[in-house]
Amino acid sequence: MRRLFWFGAGLAAGVALTRKVRSVARQATPAGVAANLGEAMHELATAVGTFGADVRAGMAEREEELSEMVEQRSGVSPVTRGAGARARRANG
């Protein structure tokens, strides 16, 4: 019975080791390296896009805070960037 147990354990370890070696060997091929590089570039692009969206959201939030502060202190409502540019073009 003990021999059968050790035979089974050795067989399972051999199968696991063979699969791991094949996986590592597949990653070392040019196609495997290209796939890994493609995944890394995709993750980087996603991270940069997320960072840009966070920055834009923070800018909009801060712009709103500053507009409220200007309105409270001066009593004048600031003109939004797009409307101000349209007004200058119409007047100028």
Side-chain angles (χ1 to χ4, degrees):
M1 192 63 162
R2 285 181 51 160
R3 287 185 181 186
L4 186 59
F5 168 76
W6 287 113
F7 177 75
L11 185 63
V15 168
L17 184 61
T18 302
R19 286 185 177 183
K20 183 66 175 174
V21 167
R22 283 185 184 168
S23 173
V24 169
R26 195 175 310 124
Q27 289 178 355
T29 64
V33 171
N36 288 341
L37 183 60
E39 289 175 19
M41 293 301 291
H42 178 71
E43 289 176 13
L44 177 63
T46 301
V48 168
T50 302
F51 175 73
D54 290 344
V55 168
R56 285 188 298 276
M59 287 172 48
E61 184 179 329
R62 182 65 177 150
E63 184 176 0
E64 182 65 30
E65 290 172 0
L66 292 173
S67 294
E68 290 174 5
M69 186 184 307
V70 167
E71 188 171 356
Q72 287 174 356
R73 291 185 181 180
S74 68
V76 176
S77 177
V79 178
T80 60
R81 190 180 319 163
R86 284 191 296 270
R88 282 192 298 274
R89 274 186 260 143
N91 293 333

